[in-house]
Amino acid sequence: QVKLVESGGGSAQAGGSLTLSCAASGNTGSSGIMAWFRQVPGKEREGVAALDSDGLTVYADSVKGRFTISQDPAKNTLDLEMTNLQPDDSAMYYCAAKWALLLPLTPPLAEDEYRYWGQGIQVTVST
């Protein structure tokens, strides 16, 4: 019903920048929540940033001030602008979404709140 496809991943040097994009297709709605998660081997999946259709955003402490999440409702795309990248940012990044008429008070960083997931895209940051 809904597909999410990430793009824009790859490699960057520490201190550099990358922008990830998530394109949504299928029976998408106009109201809901979207988020970026990341995971590395041996660690739990981490919520990075979340956004709702009212424009509220939530960031993990580890990326505050460096990452910016944004959405283009007309294109059904979700972007993650990453600046001042660090080696600890290296991970598989996933976009996630859930469309709903009623929104949480703040967009959550909990993975069990999301219904649709992309396949993931690798980001590697070198020193």
Side-chain angles (χ1 to χ4, degrees):
Q1 300 182 92
V2 173
K3 286 187 176 181
L4 304 177
V5 180
E6 300 95 340
S7 63
S11 61
Q13 294 184 335
S17 301
L18 283 174
T19 298
L20 304 180
S21 183
C22 176
S25 62
N27 296 327
T28 62
S30 59
S31 176
I33 53 175
M34 301 189 74
W36 287 94
F37 293 80
R38 66 187 183 187
Q39 189 170 27
V40 299
K43 297 183 66 176
E44 299 293 323
R45 185 171 295 182
E46 174 190 19
V48 176
L51 174 148
D52 68 24
S53 50
D54 286 339
L56 295 178
T57 58
V58 173
Y59 294 93
D61 289 342
S62 58
V63 306
K64 286 180 180 177
R66 300 189 299 117
F67 290 11
T68 301
I69 188 171
S70 61
Q71 184 185 21
D72 186 342
K75 298 181 179 179
N76 279 336
T77 59
L78 179 75
D79 295 330
L80 183 68
E81 181 184 6
M82 304 181 292
T83 63
N84 192 21
L85 285 164
Q86 303 172 15
D88 285 347
D89 295 319
S90 297
M92 185 74 73
Y93 283 72
Y94 302 86
C95 67
K98 178 182 179 180
W99 281 269
L101 296 176
L102 299 178
L103 301 176
L105 293 177
T106 57
L109 291 174
E111 58 184 310
D112 59 2
E113 296 288 339
Y114 294 89
R115 180 176 182 181
Y116 301 105
W117 292 81
Q119 295 299 307
I121 190 166
Q122 182 68 43
V123 171
T124 302
V125 182
S126 61
T127 59

